[in-house]
Amino acid sequence: MASNGDGPEWKENLSVRFRCPDCKEDPPNLIEEDSSTVCASCGVVLADRIISMESEWRTFSNDDGKNSDDPSRVGEASNDLLNGNQLETTINWQRGGGRIARDLQRAQNRQLDNKNNKALQQAYMDIDQKCDAYGIQHNVKNTAKTYYKSTQDAKAFKGKPLEVVIAGCIFLACRQCGVGRSFNEIFSMTSVPKKEIGRIYKQLEKFLYTNSESRTHAILGGGGIADPNAVYKNATATKPKELCARFCNNLGLGFKVISMSQKLAEKITEGAVTSLSGRSPLSIVSACIYFASHLAGHGKSAKEISKVAKVSDGTIRTAYKLMLPDKEKLVEKDWLEKGSSMDNLPNA
């Protein structure tokens, strides 16, 4: 490049080299992931928010057969929980929008696909509202929606009310995701009787297992390779230990009481207190929290725990009485060394 007369001629400085500041590899092994530049050798992110220079277009069907990479960044991503290709335009009408717009909206709403998706979206909205009201995680909601869509695609449980199927899907999704909820909690959430929840839960498990088995056989029959993770596995029953943390948090108890109650519940489940074998998980959890909270000097009354666990305070006291004779076996030495005392335990 020629000089303009105002300064020396510009030359590229070849001594400046780009290297990873962490591993110092030269030349650097750089890869681009999403919108970031990453060193493939050590994993350090060297740059983020890279501007993509690809064209803004949408690939439909097999239009771009030569290039398997879809450069699309335009339009909403397809939703596997809905039917169809979801490329339709929704006609909206608001008050004062005119008669033609209202008639067009009514005509569009008569389409079959739209009706199916509308029913699914209504059910998904119901699942979202119920789960959000009780602080249930996003992955549980998505799992419940997937189960519900499987039942709708197979036209299963046609005689069952919608709220019963939704209650069963939420209950089963909670167990599968390791955040088990009791029948009482699902009843409070959905107003579906506990017996109905128990029935639909068993029917759903049988349906989902059969459905996944038939899908796996169809893939293998066609010469494909089935994903072992896609096979439905029956959910295990909720263990008392899994409920301790949530109940303690609702009671405002700290980590110390949570860990102690979890250990107590684990010991009882393994048979440390034979007189409590066969009791419901809620009774065991409630008694363990009552025992641990008093042991740590942060005692909660049976009435306070009963409001959270949805069991009677008499049931909690009865289970606690059965634990007391084995307190020497249940209480660990390091608990006593860290400030807990068996003198804090109330008499039976």
Side-chain angles (χ1 to χ4, degrees):
M1 177 173 146
S3 172
N4 57 6
D6 297 334
E9 183 180 357
W10 181 88
K11 290 183 180 179
E12 184 180 359
N13 187 355
L14 298 178
S15 63
V16 176
R17 308 188 67 174
F18 186 70
R19 292 192 305 172
C20 174
D22 190 62
C23 65
K24 313 293 185 188
E25 186 176 5
D26 188 14
N29 183 13
L30 304 181
I31 57 172
E32 289 189 6
E33 290 184 351
D34 297 330
S35 62
S36 303
T37 300
V38 181
C39 177
S41 301
C42 63
V44 171
V45 179
L46 301 174
D48 57 1
R49 298 184 181 179
I50 297 172
I51 299 173
S52 175
M53 297 302 176
E54 293 177 345
S55 301
E56 294 277 1
W57 69 74
R58 178 96 187 222
T59 305
F60 297 97
S61 187
N62 296 321
D63 292 350
D64 195 13
K66 294 180 182 178
N67 183 12
S68 59
D69 182 27
D70 182 5
S72 168
R73 297 193 311 279
V74 180
E76 187 181 7
S78 60
N79 189 348
D80 294 334
L81 294 172
L82 298 176
N83 297 317
N85 52 22
Q86 301 158 41
L87 297 174
E88 66 273 1
T89 301
T90 302
I91 299 172
N92 192 18
W93 176 83
Q94 295 179 347
R95 191 175 297 278
R99 182 178 175 183
I100 295 174
R102 184 176 60 184
D103 292 343
L104 284 170
Q105 186 195 35
R106 285 177 178 173
Q108 188 190 42
N109 287 341
R110 293 191 191 102
Q111 295 176 16
L112 182 62
D113 287 345
N114 195 32
K115 278 188 177 180
N116 287 341
N117 279 340
K118 203 169 184 180
L120 284 171
Q121 285 174 331
Q122 189 62 42
Y124 297 157
M125 195 183 300
D126 197 13
I127 290 171
D128 282 335
Q129 287 173 349
K130 286 176 168 56
C131 291
D132 289 342
Y134 281 77
I136 293 177
Q137 297 95 316
H138 186 69
N139 64 322
V140 179
K141 291 190 286 185
N142 281 344
T143 305
K145 291 174 187 177
T146 304
Y147 292 161
Y148 181 79
K149 185 163 191 306
S150 298
T151 63
Q152 295 305 297
D153 289 345
K155 294 184 168 61
F157 310 112
K158 273 203 163 184
K160 292 281 185 183
L162 175 66
E163 59 270 14
V164 173
V165 179
I166 286 176
C169 290
I170 294 173
F171 180 76
L172 191 54
C174 287
R175 283 200 171 182
Q176 286 287 359
C177 296
V179 288
R181 294 293 189 271
S182 64
F183 285 110
N184 282 332
E185 289 175 293
I186 301 297
F187 166 69
S188 300
M189 189 190 304
T190 61
S191 300
V192 175
K194 289 183 281 185
K195 284 186 178 179
E196 280 294 325
I197 297 170
R199 287 195 198 102
I200 192 67
Y201 157 67
K202 290 176 182 176
Q203 292 169 4
L204 263 172
E205 276 224 312
K206 186 178 179 181
F207 162 76
L208 290 169
Y209 180 77
T210 308
N211 197 32
S212 69
E213 281 286 304
S214 59
R215 192 164 55 244
T216 302
H217 289 318
I219 292 170
L220 294 173
I225 300 173
D227 181 5
N229 296 321
V231 178
Y232 178 81
K233 297 174 183 176
N234 289 336
T236 56
T238 304
K239 295 178 181 178
K241 181 183 176 181
E242 297 171 4
L243 300 171
C244 289
R246 185 157 46 85
F247 288 172
C248 286
N249 285 330
N250 291 339
L251 288 163
L253 296 168
F255 178 75
K256 183 180 180 181
V257 178
I258 292 172
S259 59
M260 286 166 63
S261 61
Q262 286 178 332
K263 192 65 180 177
L264 288 169
E266 191 177 347
K267 287 183 176 182
I268 292 170
T269 306
E270 291 171 355
V273 183
T274 54
S275 53
L276 280 175
S277 59
R279 295 263 178 173
S280 75
L282 289 176
S283 301
I284 295 171
V285 169
S286 303
C288 288
I289 293 173
Y290 185 77
F291 188 104
S293 65
H294 282 90
L295 185 68
H298 305 289
K300 293 288 180 180
S301 67
K303 273 195 174 181
E304 289 176 290
I305 298 172
S306 69
K307 289 176 183 176
V308 172
K310 307 297 180 187
V311 293
S312 67
D313 52 341
T315 303
I316 297 171
R317 290 195 192 94
T318 303
Y320 170 73
K321 286 177 185 177
L322 296 173
M323 289 175 67
L324 268 184
D326 296 304
K327 62 183 180 182
E328 299 289 344
K329 187 166 48 174
L330 292 171
V331 176
E332 297 187 354
K333 288 183 180 179
D334 61 326
W335 296 352
L336 302 176
E337 291 170 0
K338 292 176 181 178
S340 299
S341 173
M342 282 199 278
D343 296 334
N344 296 332
L345 294 174
N347 296 324

